[in-house]
Amino acid sequence: MFSSFSRRQLLSLIGFVGIGTVVAGSTPFIGNFFASKAQAQETEEFVYKGRKYMIVTNLKPDMNAPIDITFDTSDQLFIDDQKINITRNKNTQKYLTPLLFGQFNSPHEIARRLIDQGIKFPIGEVKLDPNVD
């Protein structure tokens, strides 16, 4: 079948077929080069008793997160640039955090309660002392 082709023509043909396969396979990703840049999200910083906190709302859901119809984690709380995990129960519209017991009406209430308690968050990794049981 390929007896009429020289070795150089056959290698060129194989190369073009390989390149064509790569180009055809990456065609869906070409649209990503023309996507508009993400708009920076403006957040307001609040100061309470000399400590700053801010609440950031993610408009785009995390695609890697498991689908859950009860809890919403789109709101993020930062106190002194440290992220505090908060979730909102969609049924009760109340916020929860693993740092405090109970349910709260807003992330502002959680931030103020943590600041009132005087909780400070370490910068960097916390290592346990092996001599303490």
Side-chain angles (χ1 to χ4, degrees):
M1 177 175 162
F2 293 106
S3 61
S4 63
F5 289 116
S6 69
R7 196 176 329 171
R8 182 177 297 159
Q9 288 174 330
L10 188 60
L11 290 175
S12 295
L13 180 65
I14 291 171
F16 287 130
V17 168
I19 291 171
T21 304
V22 170
V23 169
S26 64
T27 302
F29 302 109
I30 291 175
N32 292 340
F33 290 116
F34 303 109
S36 62
K37 293 182 180 180
Q39 297 295 321
Q41 192 172 18
E42 293 185 20
T43 58
E44 184 178 357
E45 287 187 356
F46 303 96
V47 178
Y48 180 72
K49 293 189 177 182
R51 293 179 68 185
K52 66 177 182 172
Y53 71 93
M54 67 179 166
I55 298 162
V56 178
T57 302
N58 290 334
L59 301 177
K60 183 179 178 184
D62 185 13
M63 295 301 171
N64 296 330
I67 297 174
D68 190 353
I69 58 172
T70 307
F71 294 102
D72 177 27
T73 59
S74 62
D75 291 332
Q76 297 176 350
L77 173 64
F78 292 90
I79 298 178
D80 297 330
D81 297 327
Q82 297 291 323
K83 182 180 177 186
I84 309 299
N85 293 329
I86 61 173
T87 60
R88 181 177 57 92
N89 188 331
K90 291 182 182 179
N91 297 333
T92 63
Q93 299 298 316
K94 300 281 185 173
Y95 289 87
L96 307 164
T97 182
L99 298 175
L100 296 171
F101 292 107
Q103 298 180 358
F104 301 92
N105 294 324
S106 70
H108 295 281
E109 188 177 346
I110 293 174
R112 290 180 181 142
R113 182 75 56 94
L114 289 171
I115 292 171
D116 285 341
Q117 303 246 339
I119 294 177
K120 301 264 184 184
F121 301 100
I123 298 172
E125 184 180 352
V126 177
K127 295 184 180 180
L128 299 175
D129 186 2
N131 299 325
V132 177
D133 286 333

